[in-house]
Amino acid sequence: MASHRKSRTPGTRVAGIRTPALATAALTSVALLSQTANASPGEDRPSLEEVEKKVGDLYRQAESATEKYNAAKEKTTKQRKRVDTLLDDVAKRTQKLNDARSELGSYAAAQYRTGAGMPDTATFLLAETPQDIFDQRQVLDRMTGRQKAAVDDYVTQQTETMKKRQEATESLRTLTETQGDLKTAKATVQKKLADARELLSKLTAEEKARLAAIEKRKQEEAARKAAELARQQAEQEQAREEAAQQGGGTSEDSGSTGSAETPPADSSYGTKAEKALAFARAQIGKPYVWGATGPGSYDCSGLTQAAWKAAGVSLPRTTYDQVNAGTTVPVSQARPGDLVFFYDDVTHVGVYIGNGMMIHAPKPGTYVREESIYYDGDSAIHSIVRPA
């Protein structure tokens, strides 16, 4: 799998996905009611399209917070494992330090019992740091070989224990910070969704019907654009096959050279993509749940990660990282299995299935489904990435 992301050429930003019709219609109309109730007399009432956009923004903000939550959760999990490992190491090293201290203590006791002129070994037990020990070189010179070996072991254990304790302290501080980020992101998501639920509770049947009609027109336009992309891709494929026949090659050989931006279309990618798509299709109908990675529910990046994992490809957890986990290709040359990313802040992703369509987990209140990649208009698609 390519480890870099090629820059997009001008003109490759094209349309994208959006949210489910009925829920969006509901939120839109309620937002309108709320604004109208709070408006002063004579103030212009916003159009349904304007309110719909505001509601869409609310869900995108929740989705952005979800990806931040996912990143913080992943970081917190890794940091907690590191802290646990360090604390276990500190415990083991502390035991070794205690054993080394006991050995030095036995030498000190022996010196005391025999009436030695100076309890050399005991001097080291009073030292607080390894440097204190090294500063007493005249004492070290009077020790026997076994005593020196015991001191060396004690110094080593003390040094390593102090080092690991410092690492554990720093890791605990980092863990506290990531837990704070996790808490903040979670609160943001919950706040956005609570606002949505409040709006939905004020929905009227009349406004729902009006906004449903708007959504239907948007879906029809998105379907038209998907069909146009499918036609263009079919023409490109036919041209590649004709060129391959004239050149004595195969369409598989020539299918990778449509653009300098496009990576080779080898058969191994097709095999992996089929597995990823089969998994994604099997999840259709399962609910979107923010932060979920399956098997009963998913958020957008959780679904794409799980789909490609089924194909033996490990993707990062968040959209922010997945967008860099492959090679960028033009939308016109998107292939089944490619990842479709949306919005300037890269907060949504779906799996391309061909013919301008994708499988994705849209947003809270919806289910995994097939949808046109043009659901949210021509400007929403951020990029297409081939992950393997």
Side-chain angles (χ1 to χ4, degrees):
M1 181 175 70
S3 61
H4 66 283
R5 175 187 174 196
K6 296 184 179 180
S7 61
R8 291 181 286 125
T9 56
T12 59
R13 272 182 67 90
V14 284
I17 160 189
R18 195 50 252 135
T19 53
L22 187 57
T24 300
L27 291 173
T28 299
S29 60
V30 173
L32 178 60
L33 286 176
S34 178
Q35 290 187 3
T36 302
N38 295 325
S40 59
E43 182 178 345
D44 290 338
R45 178 176 177 136
S47 67
L48 288 177
E49 289 82 359
E50 290 172 336
V51 177
E52 186 179 37
K53 181 182 182 302
K54 291 180 181 179
V55 172
D57 289 343
L58 177 65
Y59 268 105
R60 282 194 293 275
Q61 290 166 15
E63 199 163 36
S64 177
T66 295
E67 289 303 314
K68 291 178 181 178
Y69 171 86
N70 292 339
K73 183 178 180 181
E74 184 177 46
K75 186 175 181 180
T76 298
T77 299
K78 291 180 179 179
Q79 193 63 28
R80 184 176 290 113
K81 289 181 180 179
R82 173 170 172 75
V83 167
D84 290 343
T85 299
L86 285 171
L87 290 178
D88 287 342
D89 196 6
V90 167
K92 293 176 182 178
R93 291 186 181 280
T94 299
Q95 182 59 52
K96 290 181 180 180
L97 178 62
N98 290 336
D99 293 342
R101 182 181 289 110
S102 296
E103 185 174 2
L104 284 181
S106 66
Y107 283 120
Q111 288 176 327
Y112 181 78
R113 287 194 303 271
T114 58
M118 181 178 181
D120 296 334
T121 309
T123 301
F124 289 94
L125 291 176
L126 298 176
E128 295 183 356
T129 68
Q131 187 60 48
D132 292 339
I133 294 175
F134 288 117
D135 287 343
Q136 301 178 56
R137 297 186 183 280
Q138 72 279 8
V139 177
L140 191 63
D141 291 340
R142 294 198 295 271
M143 286 187 171
T144 66
R146 291 183 64 184
Q147 285 177 311
K148 289 180 179 180
V151 168
D152 287 341
D153 183 45
Y154 179 74
V155 170
T156 298
Q157 297 303 330
Q158 188 182 48
T159 301
E160 290 300 316
T161 300
M162 292 176 64
K163 179 180 177 181
K164 290 300 179 180
R165 283 175 178 169
Q166 182 62 32
E167 289 182 19
T169 299
E170 292 297 326
S171 293
L172 282 169
R173 184 180 296 110
T174 301
L175 177 59
T176 300
E177 293 174 355
T178 58
Q179 286 175 329
D181 294 339
L182 184 66
K183 183 177 180 181
T184 298
K186 181 178 180 179
T188 301
V189 176
Q190 291 175 332
K191 177 62 167 61
K192 300 301 180 183
L193 297 183
D195 291 344
R197 286 192 295 269
E198 182 180 359
L199 293 175
L200 283 171
S201 68
K202 301 175 182 178
L203 181 65
T204 68
E206 179 183 356
E207 289 171 333
K208 181 191 298 185
R210 292 169 62 192
L211 285 173
I214 293 176
E215 286 296 327
K216 183 178 180 180
R217 289 195 296 271
K218 289 179 61 177
Q219 291 176 9
E220 290 172 350
E221 176 63 13
R224 185 192 66 76
K225 291 179 180 178
E228 176 62 19
L229 177 60
R231 183 188 64 77
Q232 293 175 359
Q233 291 179 331
E235 290 177 351
Q236 290 176 358
E237 181 62 26
Q238 182 178 359
R240 285 195 294 266
E241 291 178 355
E242 292 175 353
Q245 292 174 359
Q246 294 175 0
T250 65
S251 60
E252 189 68 35
D253 294 331
S254 61
S256 63
T257 59
S259 167
E261 290 275 336
T262 309
D266 56 64
S267 58
S268 65
Y269 179 80
T271 300
K272 293 175 183 177
E274 287 178 2
K275 293 179 180 179
L277 289 175
F279 180 92
R281 287 192 178 96
Q283 312 315 307
I284 290 177
K286 293 183 178 180
Y288 175 105
V289 174
W290 65 274
T293 57
S297 59
Y298 298 89
D299 63 16
C300 66
S301 56
L303 176 64
T304 52
Q305 182 188 50
W308 271 101
K309 182 179 180 180
V313 176
S314 178
L315 291 181
R317 174 64 181 94
T318 69
T319 55
Y320 310 129
D321 293 325
Q322 288 183 11
V323 75
N324 294 313
T327 305
T328 302
V329 301
V331 167
S332 62
Q333 296 181 29
R335 297 185 61 200
D338 291 350
L339 302 180
V340 190
F341 293 91
F342 297 88
Y343 311 118
D344 290 339
D345 55 357
V346 197
T347 53
H348 191 75
V349 63
V351 185
Y352 190 67
I353 62 176
N355 296 325
M357 302 293 288
M358 67 179 172
I359 297 174
H360 70 140
K363 67 177 184 179
T366 64
Y367 300 85
V368 176
R369 66 191 184 198
E370 292 186 12
E371 192 149 52
S372 169
I373 66 172
Y374 296 104
Y375 188 85
D376 207 22
D378 290 347
S379 62
I381 290 183
H382 176 273
S383 56
I384 307 291
V385 173
R386 191 155 296 162

